[in-house]
Amino acid sequence: MKHIWYSLILIASIPLLTLAIEPASPSGYCERFIGEKDIQSCKERTEKEDVDWYAGAVCNLQKDDAAFWICWDSVKGKSFNPQALEKCGEDKDLSDEQRQSCVNDAKGARKPASDDNDLFQKLKFKGRH
């Protein structure tokens, strides 16, 4: 009986864990594209441009690829309130325009996660060979 309750608690906690926005490597967003040219262009941009990883995760929720790039350009080099961004990512039924508006309203005083910081070493990714 103890194992059954434990299993039920674990299953019930799954939706709670999925609500949080998980920052991901921006190069992972390129998986949304189908064409090789689009994938390569995406990889070049995501490797060079500094974007707050939480904001990038919300932009990746955009349904249309053009809306993704509009969102990407709007968050580039800016800081955001993570709690406000989480609200932008919670509702999966938001239209691209509604999500973009939510992201625009989530701007905060925090520096981007990928910003140079004297306290932390800058994170660099090596490509797969």
Side-chain angles (χ1 to χ4, degrees):
M1 187 68 157
K2 180 180 175 183
H3 295 291
I4 293 172
W5 282 109
Y6 181 71
S7 297
L8 289 174
I9 290 171
L10 284 176
I11 291 169
S13 66
I14 290 172
L16 296 175
L17 296 173
T18 60
L19 289 178
I21 297 174
E22 291 295 328
S25 168
S27 62
Y29 304 149
C30 299
E31 294 172 5
R32 70 181 290 132
F33 297 100
I34 297 171
E36 190 61 37
K37 184 178 178 183
D38 292 332
I39 293 170
Q40 187 59 34
S41 173
C42 175
K43 287 182 180 180
E44 290 172 6
R45 284 189 70 178
T46 56
E47 289 174 4
K48 294 179 185 175
E49 298 174 358
D50 285 332
V51 172
D52 182 286
W53 286 19
Y54 289 99
V58 173
C59 289
N60 196 40
L61 295 174
Q62 296 289 59
K63 295 168 184 87
D64 184 62
D65 291 341
F68 166 76
W69 285 121
I70 291 169
C71 184
W72 179 271
D73 289 334
S74 74
V75 301
K76 197 167 36 172
K78 296 184 178 134
S79 61
F80 295 86
N81 178 332
Q83 290 81 15
L85 282 175
E86 189 167 339
K87 291 178 185 175
C88 301
E90 283 177 355
D91 188 355
K92 305 296 183 207
D93 295 327
L94 288 178
S95 70
D96 287 347
E97 294 81 17
Q98 290 170 322
R99 192 172 320 281
Q100 182 64 52
S101 178
C102 184
V103 169
N104 293 341
D105 293 341
K107 291 184 179 135
R110 184 174 67 82
K111 288 188 175 186
S114 58
D115 197 16
D116 288 331
N117 190 325
D118 293 336
L119 299 175
F120 302 102
Q121 180 178 355
K122 187 167 176 98
L123 184 62
K124 295 185 181 187
F125 290 94
K126 295 181 181 179
R128 297 180 186 165
H129 298 288

